[in-house]
Amino acid sequence: MTVIEVDRLHKRYRDHVAVHDVSFTVERGEIFGVLGPNGAGKTTTVECVEGLRVPDGGAVRVLGLDPHRDHDALRTRIGVQFQESQLPEKMRVREALQLYSSFYADPVDWRRLLDDWGLQDKANTPFGKLSGGQKQRLFIALALVGNPEIAVLDELTTGLDPQARRDTWGLVEDIRGKGVTVLLVTHFMAEAERLCDRIAVIDRGRVVALDTPAGLVSSVAAEQRIRFRPSVPVPDGLLIDLPEVTSVRQVGPQLHVTGTGDVLQAVTSVLARHRIVAADLRVEQASLDDAFVALTGRKLEETH
């Protein structure tokens, strides 16, 4: 069942077109990722889904309703964690969760959310005394306290250390396991690969790709990268003349070889014939980072 439908969405700010004919659907129970550089239009798109902005063209339907016109009807069915949020400095964690839970007819037990999001020891801590990661976890808990059908999570692991980020991924998978649809905005490639069933890559206001993580990677998966440290200098042309090899680059003591097909067999065979040992050999397959570069022409980390 489709729970979010975005059809030829268009949004302009004076002379700047932020979103141009963006279309995608989100199915019930999936984790759908929105990936893109700063200024690509992904935040504007998600804000139209949330009902915070009115489209200039196209249509958005959430659970069969117009998110702007039917905002009151959708308010209790969608939980939102914003990228930048604030609470009163002296408000305690438990007070925030109690307050938010009072807004809903059928809230989740806020005490359970304290446990789920690792905030048990911070229940009586004022908001202003929380670390950045603790504040982020609190905002995620607040987005879920209303027992929503859809959770919109905007850069949910920003500010978290690597271990806390991985722990959070597990909790997001648990959220989906309970039947909640997740709309995830992220710039962490590992996060998108781990969590998302499908990803819309938005660049310059348009959807430039829409597929599963594996599907996006397969679009550039023809190439492989081989790195190794040769026991002796490799003669010019020895590797680049191989039909499977597309490029050879010297990086310090290492050779970086890029190629297609059975490039690993071709390279190791010719090295063996010339009695060259490939020490510290590593083979790298194409990644979601490679797919993003192929689609947008730049690395995602360069845009943040």
Side-chain angles (χ1 to χ4, degrees):
M1 176 183 174
T2 299
V3 295
I4 299 174
E5 183 175 3
V6 178
D7 182 30
R8 293 172 292 176
L9 178 66
H10 188 90
K11 182 65 180 177
R12 173 189 293 271
Y13 300 106
R14 295 187 179 178
D15 295 331
H16 173 65
V17 177
V19 178
H20 185 76
D21 287 344
V22 164
S23 297
F24 61 84
T25 60
V26 180
E27 303 304 310
R28 184 178 295 279
E30 76 173 334
I31 300 177
F32 187 92
V34 178
L35 193 66
N38 279 340
K42 62 184 187 296
T43 296
T44 297
T45 298
V46 172
E47 287 177 344
C48 289
V49 170
E50 296 164 346
L52 299 177
R53 296 192 185 276
V54 182
D56 295 320
V60 180
R61 307 290 289 181
V62 179
L63 297 169
L65 302 172
D66 182 298
H68 182 72
R69 187 181 63 242
D70 304 314
H71 185 266
D72 289 344
L74 284 172
R75 182 181 62 81
T76 59
R77 303 177 71 185
I78 301 177
V80 179
Q81 172 261 328
F82 295 105
Q83 185 175 354
E84 295 182 7
S85 302
Q86 288 295 324
L87 289 172
E89 293 285 297
K90 295 183 179 180
M91 177 175 279
R92 301 182 187 278
V93 169
R94 60 174 174 78
E95 292 173 336
L97 284 165
Q98 285 175 317
L99 175 64
Y100 274 60
S101 67
S102 71
F103 299 155
Y104 301 96
D106 183 28
V108 175
D109 185 344
W110 61 268
R111 298 169 191 84
R112 194 182 82 201
L113 290 174
L114 282 176
D115 292 336
D116 287 349
W117 293 96
L119 295 168
Q120 311 96 316
D121 297 338
K122 300 297 178 181
N124 292 310
T125 302
F127 176 78
K129 298 294 185 180
L130 297 176
S131 69
Q134 290 163 353
K135 289 178 180 178
Q136 191 73 310
R137 291 200 297 274
L138 174 58
F139 287 128
I140 297 168
L142 293 174
L144 299 175
V145 74
N147 200 20
E149 296 174 54
I150 298 172
V152 181
L153 306 177
D154 192 347
E155 303 289 3
L156 84 162
T157 60
T158 298
L160 301 185
D161 61 63
Q163 183 58 54
R165 180 173 296 130
R166 286 190 291 271
D167 292 343
T168 300
W169 294 347
L171 291 169
V172 173
E173 289 170 331
D174 290 343
I175 293 169
R176 190 260 296 278
K178 293 178 173 63
V180 178
T181 303
V182 178
L183 182 60
L184 176 69
V185 181
T186 183
H187 71 273
F188 289 115
M189 289 296 185
E191 186 164 283
E193 274 191 292
R194 161 76 181 267
L195 294 177
C196 296
D197 299 298
R198 292 186 299 135
I199 299 171
V201 180
I202 297 180
D203 189 36
R204 297 180 176 90
R206 298 176 184 269
V207 174
V208 296
L210 175 58
D211 208 335
T212 64
L216 292 174
V217 171
S218 69
S219 66
V220 295
E223 283 197 335
Q224 298 181 50
R225 292 186 297 271
I226 304 169
R227 299 183 183 186
F228 63 92
R229 181 168 45 84
S231 57
V232 296
V234 176
D236 292 342
L238 181 65
L239 299 180
I240 196 64
D241 289 342
L242 294 171
E244 296 88 352
V245 173
T246 54
S247 71
V248 178
R249 187 162 57 100
Q250 184 85 38
V251 181
Q254 285 192 332
L255 276 184
H256 291 194
V257 181
T258 302
T260 59
D262 199 359
V263 63
L264 178 62
Q265 176 66 28
V267 169
T268 54
S269 294
V270 76
L271 291 176
R273 288 198 300 272
H274 288 78
R275 299 183 178 180
I276 300 172
V277 177
D280 302 325
L281 186 145
R282 295 176 57 190
V283 180
E284 299 176 354
Q285 301 290 341
S287 67
L288 196 55
D289 290 277
D290 298 311
F292 188 86
V293 171
L295 290 165
T296 67
R298 54 200 185 279
K299 290 183 176 294
L300 189 56
E301 59 264 28
E302 295 172 354
T303 71
H304 284 78

